[in-house]
Amino acid sequence: MLTMSTQSFEIECKEIHDSWIAGGRNQLVRSLARRNRHERQQIRETYEATYGEDLVKRLQQHQISTGISPNLCAALSLWMIDQHQRDSILVREALGNDQQGGRDTNYNALVEIFASRKSSQILLIKQAYQKKFRVQLDQDIINIEPPHPHQKIVVALMASHKAHHADVNQDIAKSDARRLFETQTSSGIQEAVVLELLTKRSIPQLKLTFSCYKRIYGHDYTKSLKTMNSGEFENALKMVVQCIHNPPNYFAKKLYASIKGWTSSSSDKGALVRVIVSRAEVDMDEIQRVFKKKHGIELRDAISSLVRENHNNPSETSGDYTDFLVALASKSK
């Protein structure tokens, strides 16, 4: 992609500004979806310098023409900010039991964030969270009520950044794989051992451990979890292991469930925009390939089908909203 000039940013910002009056939703989608992180930052800075208004704040406030859906505004605003700031907002939304009128905690979202980010990113998320919400993220997680098995795992993953190292160690991975095997009993697994490993090992090191487990014992660790007398902790751990061991496979599965679940009130509908915006510049190529292989349809086509299948409530899946998600889901590195 060619680098945009200062004049190009100014022209694009004018088109975006003019679109508020003209209701040019397509201009928003075209202008922002195709831009990389640096270009989006430049557009935001140029827009504020030219018009004295923060583009992200305007999107977040939904103070645009009535024809633009809140879903599109929310997705665009998430796309326009840095990843650690985005993650801090997504974490806050996931902790919806206190912040958003009685909603249950979305542990899926919390696990996805803390199991698929680097240690340096986790630290930035904590800093952004404290700056924006004036409270320690660790404390908000620890204070979740009622307690839940996922909560223990998320706390462990959050703490692990303190012990992270850049390099992975094959011998440690083999040793940890054997420890995981030895923790298995007829009544479940030894939680303390698993939580210790999640706390002390980096995500790359844990990924190597799960690979070693498969080589040593001939099957995935998640298969062992499925065959034993699984309780809530084991069920929670399955999801964590899947997310760490094979992120593209996990996120392809998550997207399919979210797309198919739009007509269900119990579906994690937020997963669609959360995953696409978060992974668009990370591993979307791989997610697209896995999605097509598993479900026989292109991800972008599956997302486009939401408009047709959700015709009874078009405000949730407007054409512009799905166009934006399709654009991100079609991105390649």
Side-chain angles (χ1 to χ4, degrees):
M1 180 182 296
L2 296 175
T3 303
M4 294 177 66
S5 65
T6 301
Q7 185 178 12
S8 297
F9 285 125
E10 292 173 350
I11 293 172
E12 189 143 2
C13 285
K14 184 179 186 304
E15 291 174 346
I16 292 173
H17 185 262
D18 291 346
S19 72
W20 302 136
I21 301 173
R25 301 182 296 274
N26 288 334
Q27 181 59 39
L28 278 173
V29 172
R30 286 196 303 269
S31 296
L32 303 180
R34 61 186 175 178
R35 299 306 177 195
N36 62 36
R37 181 186 61 82
H38 174 71
E39 290 171 341
R40 296 195 302 274
Q41 181 62 32
Q42 289 295 310
I43 288 173
R44 184 178 179 183
E45 292 175 359
T46 302
Y47 190 93
E48 184 166 12
T50 304
Y51 300 104
E53 183 178 32
D54 184 7
L55 180 56
V56 171
K57 286 184 178 179
R58 179 156 193 175
L59 287 166
Q60 290 172 338
Q61 293 169 353
H62 301 161
Q63 293 176 349
I64 313 174
S65 66
T66 56
I68 301 181
S69 75
N71 280 345
L72 176 59
C73 292
L76 283 167
S77 66
L78 285 174
W79 178 239
M80 287 296 294
I81 59 180
D82 289 337
Q83 181 178 337
H84 58 280
Q85 295 173 325
R86 179 191 308 145
D87 284 340
S88 72
I89 293 172
L90 293 174
V91 168
R92 186 71 167 184
E93 290 177 353
L95 296 170
N97 55 338
D98 291 329
Q99 285 79 22
Q100 296 186 15
R103 275 181 43 194
D104 291 334
T105 301
N106 187 341
Y107 285 103
N108 285 350
L110 293 177
V111 166
E112 288 167 15
I113 291 170
F114 293 111
S116 62
R117 305 296 189 264
K118 298 176 181 178
S119 58
S120 58
Q121 293 172 325
I122 293 176
L123 184 59
L124 289 173
I125 293 168
K126 290 183 177 184
Q127 293 172 347
Y129 189 94
Q130 183 176 13
K131 181 178 180 180
K132 185 172 182 63
F133 303 111
R134 305 299 181 186
V135 65
Q136 294 279 353
L137 175 54
D138 304 65
Q139 202 60 45
D140 269 359
I141 301 291
I142 292 170
N143 289 339
I144 293 175
E145 293 289 346
H148 190 280
H150 267 118
Q151 182 182 15
K152 300 178 184 178
I153 295 173
V154 171
V155 170
L157 290 171
M158 288 178 61
S160 68
H161 79 89
K162 297 174 183 176
H164 281 193
H165 300 287
D167 298 328
V168 295
N169 186 292
Q170 187 79 25
D171 291 334
I172 291 176
K174 291 178 181 178
S175 175
D176 287 348
R178 293 189 176 95
R179 288 187 70 192
L180 287 175
F181 183 79
E182 291 165 1
T183 64
Q184 301 169 29
T185 67
S186 58
S187 59
I189 61 175
Q190 297 175 29
E191 291 185 18
V193 174
V194 174
L195 291 174
E196 179 191 349
L197 293 180
L198 292 178
T199 300
K200 292 184 176 180
R201 304 294 187 244
S202 68
I203 297 301
Q205 183 68 48
L206 288 169
K207 187 172 183 177
L208 181 59
T209 295
F210 298 136
S211 296
C212 286
Y213 188 99
K214 184 172 184 178
R215 286 199 299 270
I216 295 171
Y217 301 106
H219 59 268
D220 289 327
Y221 180 52
T222 51
K223 184 176 181 179
S224 295
L225 293 174
K226 291 177 182 177
T227 56
M228 66 179 67
N229 184 21
S230 296
E232 286 189 338
F233 183 83
E234 287 80 5
N235 289 331
L237 186 58
K238 289 175 194 173
M239 173 189 165
V240 177
V241 173
Q242 290 169 352
C243 189
I244 293 174
H245 186 47
N246 192 338
N249 187 72
Y250 170 85
F251 287 115
K253 181 179 179 181
K254 190 70 179 179
L255 286 171
Y256 184 79
S258 181
I259 291 168
K260 290 300 179 182
W262 264 87
T263 57
S264 170
S265 60
S266 61
S267 170
D268 180 9
K269 293 181 180 180
L272 183 60
V273 65
R274 183 177 72 242
V275 172
I276 288 179
V277 172
S278 297
R279 309 307 293 186
E281 296 176 302
V282 180
D283 54 1
M284 189 53 71
D285 279 345
E286 297 173 71
I287 293 172
Q288 290 178 62
R289 285 194 290 270
V290 173
F291 193 97
K292 175 66 179 296
K293 182 177 180 181
K294 280 183 168 291
H295 306 296
I297 184 174
E298 297 287 353
L299 176 57
R300 58 179 178 270
D301 294 334
I303 295 171
S304 297
S305 70
L306 286 176
V307 175
R308 298 190 300 271
E309 296 176 4
N310 205 44
H311 60 275
N312 291 327
N313 194 3
S315 63
E316 288 196 354
T317 54
S318 67
D320 302 301
Y321 175 61
T322 52
D323 285 348
F324 178 66
L325 295 183
V326 166
L328 297 192
S330 304
K331 290 181 76 71
S332 58
K333 294 176 68 176

